[in-house]
Structure formats: C-alpha cells, structure tokens
Amino acid sequence: MLTKAQRLKDRIDYVLYDLLNNVLCDLNFKHRCKKQKIEMIRHIVRLRRYEHRYVQPAFIFSALQFLSFTKTALPQIHLTLHTSQLSMTESLNKEDVMESLSAIQITERGNRRVGNQCLLKLTSGAEFHQSLTVTDVYRCLHISCVTLDRVWVSDQYNIMLTDTTGVPLHRVEDSCSGYYRGLQTVNSESELIYIDEDYNINKLSKDMKTTTTFIERTDSTWDPWCVYCSPSTWDLLVGMYNNDTYTGKVTRYNQSGQLTQTIQNDNTGRGLYSRPYYITENNNGDVVVSDWLTAVVVTERGGRHRFSYTGHPSGSGLLPHGICTDALSHILVCDGRTETVQMLNKDGQFLSHLLTESQEMGRPRGLSYDVNTHRLWVGSWDNNKVCVYRYITRQDALTDEHRPRPDGDTRYTTPRHNTTHQLNEGKTH
C-alpha cells in the first residue's frame, strides 16, 4: 500500500512541477482542472456506492481510504494562469489512479485497525445483537473470536469452541483449571494458544488434530496466568504470577517462542502487578493488564508505565475482570464492583458505563472485541450465556457534491459530514 501510495504521490508531484515550471496554459486551464477535479470526486463517490452495495461488511480495509487522500489533496493545488497553450507530458486521471490501486495486494495478516478510525464512530449506546448458550460451560469467563461464526469460550474448567448457535465443536481436555482468567488466545493462523494443566503454553492446530508445546515452563516459581496474541506483531504477551513473592510480570515472546521482553517494575523499581488475570494490547502498542483486585495497569510498548486505572471516580475501587480494546483504541473492562462494562479512552480517562448488569446477560465477566465485525462479545458470570452487542458503526469518510442520479436515487446526493459522538462522564447507556 505504501509503495503504491508513494508512486501516486510522485506522479502528482511530477505533474505539479511540470505545471508550475515548464508549461504555459491558456485562460481556460483553471476551468478544465476544476472540471477534472469534479470528475474525480464523482468517480470516488461511485466507487463508494459500489462498496456499500456489494462488498462484504466484514471487509474492513478499503482502498477508498486511500482515494480520500486525493480528494483532500486536490483542493490544495494552487493554479497560476498563463497566456499560452497547455502542454502536459503526463496526465493525472482516474485511469492512472485505478491502475495504481489494482496492483495493491491485501493479505489476511497484519494490523488492519490502524488508519481505519476515520471510517468508524460510536453509536448512541450499545445495541443488543444476539445471545448464545454455550454447552458444557458453567460460566463464560473468557472469549477469543476465531471467525465470524466461531469463538473459543472458557470457564474455570473448560475451553470450548462453539458456533454462534452455541453448538460445541471442540473441547480442550488439558487446559489449566481452578481460576477465572484469560487462559487462551488465537494467533494469525487461527490456531488456539492456551495454558495447560502443567502451566506450559500449548498450541492447537487449526484442524484441532495436533497439540504442541509452544513455551515450556522452566521456572517453577513463575506460573503463566493469561495470554494474548498481538494482532499487529503476532507476539505472544503472557501475564505471569510468582507464588513465592505474590507479584506479577508480563513477558513477551516472538512467533518462534523466544523471550524478547519482560515488564515487571516501574521507573522507581516498584512492582507494577500483583496478579495479572487478563491481558490485551491497544492499537498504539500499549500493553493493558487487568490486575486482580487492584487496577487496570497500562504500559507502553517499551515497558514504561503509563497509568493505572482504579475506578470512577479515581480511587473509588475496581474489581477488574475481562478486558479488551476496540478499533477506536478504547479500553473496555468488566468491573465486579459495579457489575458494569466500563469504557476508558486510551489514556485511562473514564468515558461511560457501556453495559450494566441485565436480565439477559447477568453480571459481565469475559470480553472480546471482533475487529472484523465491530461486535463486542460479553460472557456472563451467572450463566453459560454469551451476549453480542454493537456500539461502533461505520460512517462515510468522504463528502460529495455531485448532482442526483438520472434514475432518481438521491441516497448519496446530500453532503455527508463526519460526526463525533460525545460520551458524558458517568452516563450509563
């Protein structure tokens, strides 16, 4: 994408240089350039209409984000009128743009959340989408999305793969038991990574036929308590607990299982964690930990302590459980004290109680945000139900000024404006 973007930028720069330095244009040059700009805008709008009608909603990354650059860049071109005939050696038109875009290769790997925020916005509140009852699970304490219709759900004793109807598809027999925490995660190959009964970290193949030891436990004083696979680097983040010192730490492993980083103390040498129960990563690389009975502890990618959230208002107390981040870099955490799902911004400021205890869901405990569908999966402490909500939706990132279509379809003829949803502090949705 960067290569194609640079190529298009170089082409625009070349044409601008040619216009301003080497060619003379007649009095109608400005008029013709304005006409070409309008044609470009109309072409972008037609592509957006096509995308809305035919592209699957799950296909988040859009080439139109790149085209939006051309729309914002073109008005910045300052034209100078001359008296002679225009002679352009190269033209910038929609065929050139489409030729560049057609060569862009989009793969399933990599971090697709960055740069997508301009297409997303918060709704006025969390909208209930569906619920499912997971067979053979007592409580839904941790959730890991695999595909649009498959999720791993765990309680204190089991890790179950289920579809969106609750039908069990596979059960992990050797998972660690006895505690509620983030026992499992999913890597780039849709393989399950989980903590087993011997505190090794295992990998279950995608076809669920082969289990291998990914990280073997070699130090009996440290037990892995929670795991999370980074969707940007595919590093494995592991929350560890020391039974002798009653302290915790976070370790990072690369895709080969090699230890690359340890996060344990702040800049004063004081321990950051007591017992990491759940762990996740934000879009900016921050490591976000739900620390047992204390706080949400956030460190930057390099390990520097950024902040610890201890409830709303600050210091009021927090019993953090399931935790996740969304496409807009919000931090969502289940609080056992207020029995709510609280929403924070990436800097730890409280924004709202996104969800409260309900008859359908009960008390929220497990969380997972699906970046492909922008749905929030919430597991219950009171039963074996998982409820799915939507509170983020797509918005049009472009405005248009084109005239109505000949067929009378006026759905895309009015200018669209981006709106910002304001969350009032303390407001419950």
Side-chain angles (χ1 to χ4, degrees):
M1 186 68 183
L2 292 174
T3 301
K4 303 307 174 185
Q6 185 61 44
R7 181 180 300 174
L8 184 56
K9 180 179 181 301
D10 292 342
R11 180 174 293 157
I12 294 175
D13 291 341
Y14 180 88
V15 173
L16 288 177
Y17 180 86
D18 191 52
L19 288 174
L20 299 176
N21 296 276
N22 301 324
V23 299
L24 297 176
C25 49
D26 55 16
L27 292 177
N28 69 349
F29 170 67
K30 183 176 181 179
H31 172 74
R32 288 187 286 113
C33 284
K34 183 176 181 181
K35 181 178 179 181
Q36 186 179 20
K37 170 190 165 184
I38 294 174
E39 288 298 321
M40 175 72 77
I41 293 173
R42 290 175 178 174
H43 182 62
I44 292 174
V45 172
R46 286 195 294 269
L47 288 175
R48 173 157 289 280
R49 186 184 300 118
Y50 176 87
E51 181 192 48
H52 274 274
R53 288 185 176 181
Y54 303 111
V55 178
Q56 297 181 6
F59 187 70
I60 302 304
F61 186 84
S62 172
L64 290 175
Q65 298 178 55
F66 178 70
L67 281 178
S68 66
F69 159 76
T70 63
K71 182 175 180 182
T72 57
L74 286 174
Q76 300 175 6
I77 299 176
H78 300 286
L79 305 175
T80 303
L81 293 179
H82 299 278
T83 57
S84 300
Q85 183 65 30
L86 170 65
S87 175
M88 296 184 65
T89 58
E90 215 176 310
S91 62
L92 178 64
N93 53 44
K94 63 184 180 182
E95 286 76 19
D96 293 330
V97 174
M98 294 310 299
E99 179 182 358
S100 297
L101 292 177
S102 64
I104 296 175
Q105 300 295 321
I106 300 176
T107 65
E108 295 182 356
R109 299 187 181 184
N111 184 358
R112 296 182 178 179
R113 292 176 293 178
V114 177
N116 189 46
Q117 297 186 6
C118 63
L119 297 177
L120 303 173
K121 66 176 180 179
L122 291 170
T123 62
S124 58
E127 176 186 355
F128 176 78
H129 182 73
Q130 71 174 103
S131 67
L132 58 136
T133 301
V134 184
T135 306
D136 296 332
V137 170
Y138 176 55
R139 289 168 172 160
C140 300
L141 302 179
H142 187 52
I143 305 168
S144 299
C145 295
V146 185
T147 62
L148 297 179
D149 58 353
R150 290 191 175 192
V151 293
W152 288 98
V153 180
S154 61
D155 58 11
Q156 299 103 311
Y157 312 103
N158 306 286
I159 301 178
M160 299 290 301
L161 178 66
T162 180
D163 62 15
T164 52
T165 65
V167 175
L169 303 175
H170 188 79
R171 175 180 177 178
V172 175
E173 301 290 345
D174 62 339
S175 63
C176 185
S177 62
Y179 298 94
Y180 42 96
R181 46 191 170 160
L183 291 176
Q184 83 277 349
T185 186
V186 177
N187 67 9
S188 60
E189 305 297 331
S190 298
E191 298 170 318
L192 178 73
I193 296 178
Y194 67 96
I195 304 171
D196 72 7
E197 55 194 0
D198 296 321
Y199 291 99
N200 298 313
I201 299 179
N202 292 345
K203 181 190 296 183
L204 178 64
S205 62
K206 188 176 181 179
D207 60 9
M208 292 170 286
K209 295 181 179 179
T210 306
T211 301
T212 57
T213 301
F214 182 58
I215 301 173
E216 185 177 3
R217 183 195 187 201
T218 57
D219 186 351
S220 60
T221 60
W222 287 97
D223 298 335
W225 275 59
C226 55
V227 292
Y228 180 76
C229 191
S230 166
S232 59
T233 64
W234 301 119
D235 289 345
L236 185 68
L237 299 171
V238 183
M240 309 282 286
Y241 175 67
N242 191 308
N243 291 291
D244 297 332
T245 61
Y246 305 106
T247 58
K249 67 179 180 180
V250 170
T251 54
R252 181 187 296 268
Y253 299 85
N254 61 22
Q255 297 183 57
S256 301
Q258 297 175 326
L259 177 65
T260 60
Q261 184 186 28
T262 298
I263 305 173
Q264 189 170 1
N265 302 315
D266 61 18
N267 57 1
T268 66
R270 184 177 180 180
L272 288 170
Y273 314 104
S274 59
R275 190 178 298 184
Y277 261 39
Y278 296 87
I279 186 170
T280 188
E281 182 186 68
N282 213 338
N283 295 334
N284 60 359
D286 284 353
V287 178
V288 184
V289 172
S290 177
D291 201 31
W292 185 61
L293 297 180
T294 56
V296 174
V297 181
V298 178
T299 59
E300 66 178 12
R301 171 66 175 82
R304 183 182 66 86
H305 180 228
R306 290 197 61 221
F307 64 86
S308 293
Y309 174 76
T310 56
H312 175 70
S314 180
S316 61
L318 187 75
L319 294 177
H321 293 278
I323 198 165
C324 69
T325 61
D326 62 27
L328 297 177
S329 300
H330 298 124
I331 298 172
L332 307 179
V333 59
C334 293
D335 176 28
R337 185 180 297 274
T338 60
E339 302 300 350
T340 62
V341 175
Q342 298 188 22
M343 177 188 290
L344 321 176
N345 68 11
K346 62 183 177 62
D347 298 316
Q349 179 184 2
F350 175 84
L351 298 178
S352 73
H353 291 102
L354 181 66
L355 294 169
T356 59
E357 180 181 358
S358 64
Q359 181 177 1
E360 178 69 25
M361 176 180 57
R363 290 175 287 180
R365 284 298 182 271
L367 289 178
S368 180
Y369 180 85
D370 187 348
V371 71
N372 294 312
T373 62
H374 302 295
R375 295 173 183 171
L376 179 67
W377 298 69
V378 184
S380 175
W381 170 264
D382 297 309
N383 50 51
N384 57 345
K385 277 190 176 182
V386 173
C387 293
V388 184
Y389 297 87
R390 185 190 297 274
Y391 68 98
I392 288 180
T393 186
R394 296 187 62 173
Q395 65 176 344
D396 291 324
L398 305 178
T399 61
D400 67 271
E401 303 170 358
H402 71 290
R403 66 192 64 176
R405 291 174 51 187
D407 59 5
D409 188 348
T410 60
R411 290 177 295 172
Y412 299 93
T413 59
T414 57
R416 297 174 182 252
H417 304 280
N418 294 344
T419 59
T420 302
H421 176 79
Q422 300 292 334
L423 289 169
N424 297 323
E425 182 170 305
K427 183 178 179 180
T428 300
H429 297 305

